[in-house]
Amino acid sequence: MSQATEELGGREVLRVLTLDGGGAKGFYTLGVLKEIEAMVGRPLYQTFDLVFGTSTGAIIASLIALGRSVDSILDLYRKHVPSVMSQKTAPTRSIALIKLANEVFGDAKFSDVKTGIGIVTAKWLTERPMIFKGNVAQAHGRVGTFVPGFGVSIADAVKASCSAYPFFERTIVRTSMGEDIELIDGGYCANNPTLYAIADAVQAFRRKHKDIRVVSIGVGTYPDPKPGLRMRLAKKFLISVQLLQKTLEINTHSMDQLRQILFHEVPTVRISDSYVTPEMATDLLEHDLKKLDVLFQRGRESFSSREKQLREYLM
């Protein structure tokens, strides 16, 4: 475990970054993060003491925690996301996702992270969250048997967090205890992982609400794209995509509403703007790189209206 994660509990102000799920719409998230990284003038792992992510947010959060710059993450997204999301079946999408995870993370483990991390997944059989962490200080019980990330590689944990069933196959991970656990996308339990992150800050690190600063970044909200001829013919698939999209959005908004009720005293910046013009229509399976670059630009613009508050929190 890195020295940085061991020192988390001693910081005067605990700075938390949380990143929503949303598939290809993570380009919006990267647009916001690009501006934050430029503002603080250092790698984000040196700014945030805890970084939580779900699904596409899990990919970005893990790379941040491993010390990667936003520019390098954006390059990876431009290379891999269109190829993953353009696949036509759950098996082929899952194969492409495995290739992405293995190529990007290699054999990296949760003991390699440079700051606190939380990767949100959901257990298929027991219908409970499973959150991969790197620091024993984040354990809520069973401290004596804590192993960073349950002994699972970062690649496998991220792959599980992104397994948006039924559009991706469920993922089976093997823990250091020899348990085989079947997991699906963390968006089914916390597409917005902010509550879990605050729980760590308050309960695990014993921080007072006033001593926490949260930056919560979504993926934006957009109109549904008009289906093409092929999609209209595959009406069942289209309905399923829309249902998943709606499920994740409801989860996201309900988690943020709970955050505002339960932790209204925790200073928080929430960034996830809504767009209504037809040209912004998109969904989590978007694979048009031009459209994805527009989402990146919108994320950079969303930063602007919160820049003053972000400076107060992070500088």
Side-chain angles (χ1 to χ4, degrees):
M1 187 182 303
S2 70
Q3 183 179 358
T5 56
E6 291 174 346
E7 293 176 349
L8 276 173
R11 305 280 179 87
E12 181 179 351
V13 173
L14 198 73
R15 294 180 174 88
V16 179
L17 174 66
T18 66
L19 307 175
D20 290 10
K25 294 183 292 182
F27 273 79
Y28 174 92
T29 307
L30 289 171
V32 180
L33 292 174
K34 169 67 177 175
E35 295 298 328
I36 292 177
E37 187 177 67
M39 180 186 73
V40 298
R42 59 183 179 271
L44 292 178
Y45 78 88
Q46 295 178 358
T47 296
F48 293 101
D49 305 301
L50 283 177
V51 185
F52 268 63
T54 299
S55 196
T56 193
I59 299 175
I60 300 169
S62 297
L63 290 168
I64 288 172
L66 289 169
R68 300 292 289 267
S69 69
V70 175
D71 279 344
S72 70
I73 300 172
L74 178 62
D75 288 342
L76 292 169
Y77 262 57
R78 284 174 171 157
K79 176 181 178 182
H80 290 284
V81 168
S83 63
V84 173
M85 296 307 184
S86 62
Q87 301 298 318
K88 303 304 181 186
T89 67
T92 55
R93 283 190 208 97
S94 297
I95 290 171
L97 178 60
I98 291 170
K99 181 181 178 182
L100 179 158
N102 291 339
E103 181 175 332
V104 170
F105 295 104
D107 58 359
K109 300 188 180 302
F110 282 88
S111 55
D112 297 327
V113 298
K114 301 175 184 294
T115 192
I117 191 170
I119 299 304
V120 181
T121 68
K123 296 180 181 179
W124 174 253
L125 292 179
T126 61
E127 300 168 349
R128 295 175 179 270
M130 182 172 182
I131 305 177
F132 294 85
K133 303 175 181 181
N135 188 350
V136 65
Q138 294 171 258
H140 298 269
R142 294 191 292 181
V143 173
T145 58
F146 179 87
V147 176
F150 304 100
V152 173
S153 70
I154 291 181
D156 283 347
V158 166
K159 181 175 59 178
S161 186
C162 294
S163 295
Y165 184 78
F167 301 99
F168 290 83
E169 295 179 324
R170 301 190 293 271
T171 295
I172 296 177
V173 301
R174 173 161 290 187
T175 71
S176 59
M177 298 288 187
E179 305 163 301
D180 288 332
I181 302 177
E182 193 170 19
L183 300 172
I184 58 172
D185 196 300
Y188 285 106
C189 60
N191 199 55
N192 173 350
T194 305
L195 280 181
Y196 289 150
I198 294 177
D200 273 12
V202 172
Q203 298 297 326
F205 294 113
R206 305 296 179 185
R207 308 313 292 267
K208 296 179 180 178
H209 291 187
K210 67 180 181 63
D211 295 330
I212 303 168
R213 300 291 183 273
V214 177
V215 178
S216 172
I217 304 177
V219 296
T221 302
Y222 311 90
D224 290 331
K226 292 183 178 180
L229 175 60
R230 183 172 182 178
M231 193 67 81
R232 288 197 296 270
L233 293 174
K235 186 176 180 180
K236 183 177 180 180
F237 178 83
L238 174 61
I239 293 173
S240 297
V241 172
Q242 293 173 337
L243 178 60
L244 175 60
Q245 184 86 21
K246 186 62 67 175
T247 298
L248 298 180
E249 289 176 358
I250 291 171
N251 180 290
T252 296
H253 294 308
S254 61
M255 293 293 278
D256 194 54
Q257 186 174 21
L258 279 173
R259 189 268 306 167
Q260 294 176 53
I261 294 170
L262 298 174
F263 296 107
H264 61 277
E265 295 178 348
V266 175
T268 301
V269 180
R270 173 68 178 169
I271 305 176
S272 189
D273 289 333
S274 297
Y275 302 91
V276 297
T277 55
E279 60 267 22
M280 289 302 301
T282 190
D283 60 29
L284 74 169
L285 296 179
E286 182 66 65
H287 52 269
D288 181 341
L289 191 53
K290 290 184 178 180
K291 175 62 71 67
L292 295 173
D293 279 337
V294 170
L295 301 190
F296 176 74
Q297 295 164 22
R298 294 295 176 268
R300 295 182 64 196
E301 293 165 3
S302 291
F303 161 88
S304 300
S305 61
R306 287 85 166 184
E307 183 172 1
K308 181 179 179 181
Q309 191 175 11
L310 287 167
R311 283 186 178 277
E312 293 173 354
Y313 282 17
L314 304 178
M315 298 295 282

